[in-house]
Amino acid sequence: MTTTTAAAREFLDSVTTLLGPSHVKTDEPSRLAYGTDALKRGTAADVVLLPGSTRDVAAIVRLCAEHSVPIVPRGAGTGYTGGAVPTRGGAVVSLERMNRILEIDEANLIAVVEPHVITRDLQDAVEKVGLFYPPDPASLGQSVIGGNVAECAGGPRAFKYGTTKRYVLGLEAVLATGEIIETGGKVVKNVVGYDLTQLLCGSEGTLAIITKVILRLVPKPPVQATLRATFRDVESAVAAVTNVIRARVVPAAIELIDGESLEAVASYLKVRSLAPEGTAALLLLEVDGISQAVEEEAVRVAQACLDAGATEVLRARDEAERQELWRVRRELSTSLKMITPLKFNHDVVVPKGRIPELFALVRRLRDEFGLRIPCFGHAGDGNIHVNIMVDPGDAAELVRAHEAEGALFEGVVALEGSISGEHGIGFSKARFMTLELSADEIALMKRVRAAFDPQGIMNPGKMFP
Amino acid sequence: MTTTTAAAREFLDSVTTLLGPSHVKTDEPSRLAYGTDALKRGTAADVVLLPGSTRDVAAIVRLCAEHSVPIVPRGAGTGYTGGAVPTRGGAVVSLERMNRILEIDEANLIAVVEPHVITRDLQDAVEKVGLFYPPDPASLGQSVIGGNVAECAGGPRAFKYGTTKRYVLGLEAVLATGEIIETGGKVVKNVVGYDLTQLLCGSEGTLAIITKVILRLVPKPPVQATLRATFRDVESAVAAVTNVIRARVVPAAIELIDGESLEAVASYLKVRSLAPEGTAALLLLEVDGISQAVEEEAVRVAQACLDAGATEVLRARDEAERQELWRVRRELSTSLKMITPLKFNHDVVVPKGRIPELFALVRRLRDEFGLRIPCFGHAGDGNIHVNIMVDPGDAAELVRAHEAEGALFEGVVALEGSISGEHGIGFSKARFMTLELSADEIALMKRVRAAFDPQGIMNPGKMFP
């Protein structure tokens, strides 16, 4: 962390005086626990700091700047790309003590929260008063708003409602030089100066530490209708999505699950099959809103699927059936773990009309590299989770998987797509940035980073190749 | 423009060789015409350049950088804050020749356009194929997409649909150092690197020249219902807005017009009155969507207004009646010009629950400074156009108006609001930035600007105090 033991001692003494000994962790288990995320990769923290306030955060940052200690801001550590873990030691600043919902303003449809509020807790709190916070990353039971903002989390409802950034009106954040800034505010329109709020969304902790979030809420849609449609091929499922859009319906969710993923869930649930024989693609569709509209839209959605050649369309008749339809989607991650313990789960995105080309690419990779690659994702957004399954004990498979990964990203960029729609870059995808961005664009982003953090101590080793 | 005549001559020769003599204007009428916007203030351009391509723009920028010539990017020049006019000469780069719609992709709900496509032309083109580009600034018949993006234009439909930035998926832009960059792309989700797309939206031509825009489209809502509700006071009208939101309806527009504005329109149209006697506030509400939903929502909106004490609620029975209800809103700007030829028309914004406090502030300013201050605007967003009317021949009134303007902005910030929701800062509001942003925040924004434009030649004299 610092070059001499004396300097390290001095830094530790200063943060301990600042936070109190119970909020400075240097024991081995803590240093390791805060050194990985869902990737299970990273390096141990030198020290874990638990600030209780924005002032604490600012003081920590100033001490780190003074001692040239790398800072790794951390939410719940549920990310998939290593955004919240050290790459070369330093101080992990966990926001876990800053976990209060400060305000829910029903008249102005606004919530103000500290960064470490669990996403589902916020959703539950606002739904109690008839409001709605739409972003629904799969991790919402564990992940926190600050992390959702830093990574710009998505989820199934992003098709209709947009990703996290669409709901962030303002932020309080601490710069790498210790200043506390406020961006945006409580108004839904603001064109005063540059939009630093949106710049901080998805900046993966490389620009500032987010200490407060002002969120826009919407009225809770009173009614949902959930449908499941099955298809003999991915092309027909994508044609159904196009038909739905042509029918002027904007579903809250349009989730696509491929045949290989369905088999994995069936095997995990120990059932023979979850869909009619020969199903190569399944769509889960949900429409929401006021009841008259939902009724009409559900009819249109079913017709759109049948017109595209659906072999079967089911509609949930009650909440229990709805939960049953969603279950196959929810069990996906756990089920895939039964195939192999390791997966490279990528969240590539293409213009939605090009999803069939993406699946053709994946078929080619399966054959060429001899890999299992189940796919599922948010078809309305063209955002598909491509899971390259790897047996970590099989060195040759690991090499082939890495080759397939590179070929996938190149192919996605050639399809006018992006290598990440939800998970971000972290350290795990940093070397692929050049596939999508030009040298001039990366140089510009680095200059923007330097405008926030001249010393380069905020989450170093992330995002940039 | 440059210090010596020889250097100026050399610059002019170079741009003339590049663009051809017909695309380089140095005649007095052109230099003056491109030197003002809707404000009617600014300084003459030294030269007006009309590039025909992104390459032209990049070459112009390199020449300007080499000769230290300030660059003023310009769309249709319909802005209200002087964003597209020189403050100290230089080259106005008008994008008027880059005016093509390059692509409307129905399957992917995307349009790709050059910057100088008139907003209404794009709307008409996409509506022909059943799609919809929602942003609707009042200037949409003249203003262009590039300018809308640079200023982040709003409009009545922003309440339901959001402002321009919500529709910008990607940009091509030329940096002050001549590099051509692409930000974002054709996908609706992208978390690769910093979100420079959103940073450029609303950056008022101070960071780069926008040369291409990729826009998200939505399905065109097939049906509208338009209602007009009148109230005895602004408080009741705002209570109606809250009731509408409580009734879980998200109208496409909720426009508020105050009594003083209504009188101006009535006088302009030479009618005795446009609303029941004693009307101090009028709401125009429009709901859109599929017909079953619109019917239900129109009923809820009417009830919400009656519950808040509306003296009358009218609903348009056909398109002709709809246009008649909207007419009072459309004639506002012209009507106000009949009161005095000059208005300081500010677009302040407050959390919508605080609109009554904003109107109380305006009443105080009216009394204290003896001014006419008609107000109207987008009540759903809390975005109110406050028009301080001034007789330019009355020097004392002009002084009082400037005082009132300062007091307005201070009051708005105290109400947790923002001094601009739509028009931007330009040069006319630059000195008020410090009311809303701290010195640290402004310093950070200046460092971000320097990351894009180290020499400071891109639209100098704008935004920053």
Side-chain angles (χ1 to χ4, degrees):
Chain A
M1 114 200 252
T2 44
T3 43
T4 68
T5 313
R9 194 67 256 163
E10 191 195 314
F11 174 76
L12 277 180
D13 286 348
S14 302
V15 290
T16 306
T17 307
L18 175 70
L19 302 172
S22 58
H23 301 132
V24 177
K25 292 174 189 285
T26 52
D27 61 293
E28 182 84 7
S30 296
R31 291 172 48 226
L32 288 173
Y34 287 86
T36 63
D37 64 7
L39 270 188
K40 306 287 175 219
R41 287 191 287 159
T43 67
D46 289 318
V47 59
V48 179
L49 304 176
L50 308 178
S53 67
T54 303
R55 257 169 108 126
D56 281 355
V57 174
I60 287 172
V61 167
R62 282 192 298 268
L63 285 170
C64 287
E66 197 181 307
H67 291 80
S68 298
V69 174
I71 302 165
V72 180
R74 184 174 170 104
T78 55
Y80 276 121
T81 54
V85 306
T87 54
R88 43 180 192 257
V92 167
V93 179
S94 170
L95 283 305
E96 63 200 69
R97 291 171 61 208
M98 295 173 68
N99 61 359
R100 288 173 305 162
I101 296 175
L102 299 174
E103 189 182 344
I104 294 174
D105 178 343
E106 293 180 57
N108 291 307
L109 303 180
I110 282 170
V112 183
V113 303
E114 291 185 326
H116 212 84
V117 171
I118 291 175
T119 309
R120 181 179 282 149
D121 290 350
L122 175 68
Q123 290 181 338
D124 290 347
V126 304
E127 288 181 28
K128 265 189 203 136
V129 294
L131 298 177
F132 192 47
Y133 175 69
D136 57 346
S139 58
L140 61 83
Q142 295 84 44
S143 66
V144 294
I145 297 294
N148 287 181
V149 173
E151 299 289 325
C152 191
R157 293 200 289 236
F159 176 61
K160 176 169 180 176
Y161 291 101
T163 61
T164 300
K165 69 188 317 160
R166 192 82 75 76
Y167 295 88
V168 184
L169 293 177
L171 294 170
E172 178 190 76
V174 176
L175 300 184
T177 34
E179 302 99 311
I180 299 166
I181 60 162
E182 288 176 6
T183 71
K186 287 189 172 178
V187 290
V188 291
K189 285 162 137 184
N190 181 332
V191 291
V192 176
Y194 300 134
D195 190 342
L196 301 184
T197 309
Q198 295 293 301
L199 183 61
L200 288 174
C201 289
S203 66
E204 305 193 8
T206 63
L207 298 181
I209 302 181
I210 295 165
T211 50
K212 200 193 284 180
V213 186
I214 304 176
L215 293 168
R216 185 171 75 89
L217 306 172
V218 296
K220 183 166 155 53
V223 177
Q224 285 98 16
T226 306
L227 296 97
R228 188 194 88 166
T230 44
F231 301 87
R232 283 201 191 81
D233 47 55
V234 169
E235 287 71 13
S236 304
V238 175
V241 173
T242 304
N243 287 349
V244 166
I245 292 164
R246 288 245 162 82
R248 306 287 166 258
V249 179
V250 182
I254 312 183
E255 296 289 294
L256 172 68
I257 304 172
D258 80 352
E260 195 166 356
S261 301
L262 282 176
E263 278 170 32
V265 179
S267 151
Y268 173 64
L269 296 179
K270 299 194 191 347
V271 297
R272 204 169 64 85
S273 168
L274 285 159
E277 176 110 12
T279 295
L282 180 153
L283 285 181
L284 262 180
L285 299 120
E286 193 158 279
V287 291
D288 66 3
I290 64 174
S291 60
Q292 290 84 342
V294 166
E295 269 316 305
E296 166 69 17
E297 292 188 338
V299 169
R300 290 192 193 190
V301 164
Q303 193 56 52
C305 291
L306 292 170
D307 290 348
T311 52
E312 185 182 84
V313 179
L314 303 179
R315 179 174 166 187
R317 280 164 303 188
D318 54 33
E319 184 60 23
E321 286 193 359
R322 180 181 170 225
Q323 291 306 328
E324 199 193 316
L325 291 187
W326 271 104
R327 189 173 175 205
V328 55
R329 175 71 180 85
R330 292 220 184 85
E331 300 288 5
L332 267 168
S333 278
T334 316
S335 305
L336 292 187
K337 277 185 200 141
M338 311 313 283
I339 302 185
T340 58
L342 185 63
K343 58 176 179 180
F344 297 167
N345 66 333
H346 293 303
D347 58 319
V348 300
V349 49
V350 294
K352 63 181 143 304
R354 307 196 79 162
I355 295 176
E357 292 170 79
L358 173 63
F359 273 87
L361 167 65
V362 169
R363 276 195 297 273
R364 221 161 47 237
L365 298 177
R366 266 190 202 119
D367 295 345
E368 195 176 329
F369 296 99
L371 294 163
R372 281 156 297 181
I373 315 182
C375 298
F376 59 90
H378 317 301
D381 294 321
N383 183 201
I384 304 295
H385 296 280
V386 176
N387 301 277
I388 302 176
M389 307 307 298
V390 193
D391 176 353
D394 183 340
E397 190 171 73
L398 205 59
V399 169
R400 295 201 311 278
H402 276 299
E403 282 170 12
E405 188 177 40
L408 170 69
F409 291 151
E410 278 178 34
V412 161
V413 172
L415 292 173
E416 301 182 287
S418 173
I419 65 173
S420 179
E422 294 187 329
H423 301 167
I425 300 300
F427 70 78
S428 72
K429 285 190 192 166
R431 70 204 160 93
F432 298 111
M433 285 280 273
T434 51
L435 290 178
E436 190 166 331
L437 302 177
S438 72
D440 284 342
E441 288 152 10
I442 291 174
L444 174 61
M445 287 185 186
K446 284 185 172 174
R447 292 197 302 274
V448 169
R449 170 156 168 49
F452 279 79
D453 175 16
Q455 225 185 317
I457 59 168
M458 196 64 91
N459 216 5
K462 307 297 166 63
M463 196 184 279
F464 296 108
Chain B
M1 110 201 260
T2 42
T3 44
T4 69
T5 313
R9 194 66 255 164
E10 191 196 312
F11 174 76
L12 277 180
D13 287 347
S14 303
V15 290
T16 306
T17 306
L18 175 71
L19 301 173
S22 59
H23 301 133
V24 177
K25 293 175 188 283
T26 52
D27 61 292
E28 182 85 6
S30 295
R31 290 172 49 226
L32 289 172
Y34 287 85
T36 62
D37 64 8
L39 269 187
K40 307 287 175 219
R41 287 190 287 159
T43 66
D46 289 318
V47 59
V48 179
L49 304 176
L50 309 178
S53 67
T54 304
R55 259 169 104 126
D56 281 356
V57 174
I60 288 172
V61 167
R62 282 193 297 267
L63 285 170
C64 287
E66 197 181 311
H67 291 82
S68 298
V69 174
I71 302 165
V72 181
R74 183 176 171 100
T78 54
Y80 276 122
T81 54
V85 306
T87 54
R88 42 180 192 259
V92 167
V93 178
S94 170
L95 284 303
E96 64 200 69
R97 291 172 62 208
M98 295 173 67
N99 60 359
R100 289 174 306 163
I101 296 176
L102 300 175
E103 189 183 345
I104 294 173
D105 178 344
E106 293 180 58
N108 291 307
L109 304 180
I110 283 170
V112 183
V113 303
E114 291 186 325
H116 213 83
V117 170
I118 292 175
T119 309
R120 181 181 282 150
D121 291 349
L122 175 68
Q123 290 181 336
D124 291 347
V126 304
E127 288 181 28
K128 263 188 205 137
V129 295
L131 298 177
F132 193 48
Y133 174 70
D136 58 344
S139 58
L140 62 85
Q142 295 84 44
S143 67
V144 294
I145 296 293
N148 287 180
V149 173
E151 299 288 327
C152 192
R157 293 200 289 237
F159 176 61
K160 176 170 181 176
Y161 291 100
T163 61
T164 300
K165 68 186 320 158
R166 192 83 74 80
Y167 295 88
V168 184
L169 293 178
L171 295 169
E172 178 191 75
V174 176
L175 301 184
T177 34
E179 301 99 313
I180 299 166
I181 61 163
E182 288 177 7
T183 72
K186 287 190 171 176
V187 290
V188 292
K189 286 163 138 185
N190 181 332
V191 291
V192 176
Y194 300 134
D195 191 344
L196 301 183
T197 309
Q198 295 294 302
L199 183 62
L200 288 173
C201 288
S203 65
E204 305 192 12
T206 63
L207 297 181
I209 302 181
I210 294 164
T211 51
K212 200 193 283 180
V213 186
I214 304 175
L215 293 167
R216 186 171 72 91
L217 306 171
V218 296
K220 182 168 157 51
V223 177
Q224 285 96 17
T226 307
L227 295 98
R228 189 193 87 167
T230 43
F231 301 88
R232 282 202 191 84
D233 47 56
V234 169
E235 285 72 12
S236 305
V238 174
V241 174
T242 303
N243 287 350
V244 167
I245 291 164
R246 288 244 162 82
R248 306 285 167 255
V249 180
V250 182
I254 311 182
E255 296 290 296
L256 171 69
I257 303 172
D258 80 351
E260 194 165 356
S261 301
L262 282 176
E263 278 169 32
V265 180
S267 150
Y268 173 64
L269 296 178
K270 299 193 189 353
V271 296
R272 204 169 64 84
S273 168
L274 285 160
E277 177 110 14
T279 295
L282 180 152
L283 285 181
L284 262 179
L285 300 121
E286 194 158 278
V287 290
D288 66 3
I290 64 175
S291 59
Q292 290 84 341
V294 165
E295 268 318 303
E296 166 70 17
E297 291 187 339
V299 169
R300 291 191 193 189
V301 164
Q303 193 57 51
C305 291
L306 291 170
D307 290 348
T311 52
E312 185 181 84
V313 179
L314 302 179
R315 177 174 167 188
R317 281 163 301 185
D318 53 32
E319 183 60 24
E321 284 191 3
R322 179 180 170 226
Q323 291 305 328
E324 198 194 315
L325 291 188
W326 271 103
R327 189 175 177 201
V328 54
R329 175 71 180 84
R330 293 222 182 81
E331 300 288 4
L332 267 168
S333 276
T334 316
S335 304
L336 293 187
K337 277 184 199 139
M338 312 311 284
I339 302 183
T340 60
L342 184 63
K343 59 176 179 181
F344 297 167
N345 66 333
H346 292 304
D347 58 319
V348 298
V349 49
V350 294
K352 63 183 142 305
R354 308 195 79 160
I355 295 175
E357 291 169 80
L358 173 63
F359 274 87
L361 167 65
V362 168
R363 277 195 296 273
R364 217 159 54 236
L365 297 177
R366 267 190 201 117
D367 295 347
E368 193 176 330
F369 296 100
L371 294 162
R372 281 155 298 180
I373 315 182
C375 298
F376 61 90
H378 318 303
D381 294 320
N383 182 202
I384 304 295
H385 295 281
V386 176
N387 301 278
I388 303 175
M389 307 307 298
V390 193
D391 177 353
D394 182 342
E397 190 170 70
L398 206 57
V399 169
R400 294 202 309 278
H402 276 299
E403 283 170 8
E405 187 177 42
L408 170 68
F409 290 150
E410 278 177 35
V412 162
V413 172
L415 292 172
E416 300 183 288
S418 173
I419 65 173
S420 180
E422 295 186 328
H423 300 167
I425 300 299
F427 69 79
S428 71
K429 285 189 193 167
R431 70 204 160 92
F432 298 112
M433 284 280 272
T434 50
L435 290 177
E436 190 166 330
L437 301 179
S438 73
D440 284 342
E441 288 151 9
I442 291 173
L444 174 62
M445 289 185 186
K446 284 185 171 175
R447 292 198 301 274
V448 170
R449 170 157 168 48
F452 279 79
D453 175 16
Q455 226 184 317
I457 59 168
M458 197 64 89
N459 217 3
K462 307 296 165 61
M463 196 185 279
F464 296 107

